[in-house]
Amino acid sequence: MKAIRLLGIRDTPLSVEEVLAAVGDHAAGGTTLFVGTVRDHDGGKPVTQLAYSAHPSAEAELRRVAEKVAADFPITALAAVHRVGELELGDAAVIVAVSAPHRGEAFEASRRLIDDLKKEVPIWKHQAFADGSTEWVGAGG
């Protein structure tokens, strides 16, 4: 689909500038950007280490999610990238952006894109906590 400008599962640092540039368009009156970052806690426990793993089908599933969003909303462009591998606190784990003729459409489509990505794309988070325990969180986590 023409509206889908950038999709990827990457083992290198993500770039907000790259994602924003991908959705830039003179036909768009509004652009939304969401950056999910690695935080220092989860469930009230301090996080010391975090890594993401993806199923080989993850990129195809990301495309399916993006195509559905592009079909359901009158958007100009969308982009979504997710990081895999070991990440540090503060690193960008996922970035999505949507541009549309109006801000409402951009917000709604962006919300659906990140929510469906988290729910449906097979990417798992493995986090280690300060108390020595670890936890896997799957798609939907």
Side-chain angles (χ1 to χ4, degrees):
M1 294 184 125
K2 208 162 87 172
I4 299 172
R5 306 254 179 98
L6 174 67
L7 294 176
I9 309 293
R10 300 180 173 172
D11 62 0
T12 56
L14 306 180
S15 165
V16 168
E17 293 79 12
E18 177 192 21
V19 174
L20 273 177
V23 299
D25 196 294
H26 292 301
T31 300
T32 60
L33 173 75
F34 172 80
V35 181
T37 55
V38 177
R39 63 181 178 262
D40 66 357
H41 67 282
D42 193 25
K45 294 165 57 174
V47 171
T48 58
Q49 202 172 17
L50 186 138
Y52 284 95
S53 300
H55 188 273
S57 69
E59 203 153 319
E61 289 300 308
L62 177 58
R63 179 161 295 283
R64 184 188 57 75
V65 165
E67 287 173 351
K68 180 87 169 94
V69 170
D72 289 351
F73 293 92
I75 65 168
T76 305
L78 71 72
V81 291
H82 202 295
R83 178 99 182 261
V84 292
E86 294 188 18
L87 283 74
E88 301 291 328
L89 296 178
D91 283 351
V94 61
I95 304 173
V96 302
V98 174
S99 62
H102 304 285
R103 70 180 177 272
E105 298 154 345
F107 275 113
E108 291 174 25
S110 183
R111 179 64 182 243
R112 168 85 68 78
L113 180 58
I114 188 59
D115 287 351
D116 289 357
L117 184 161
K118 296 295 284 179
K119 187 173 14 175
E120 299 177 26
V121 177
I123 297 173
W124 301 277
K125 175 172 60 174
H126 185 235
Q127 43 192 8
F129 299 101
D131 66 6
S133 64
T134 64
E135 171 184 60
W136 281 96
V137 180

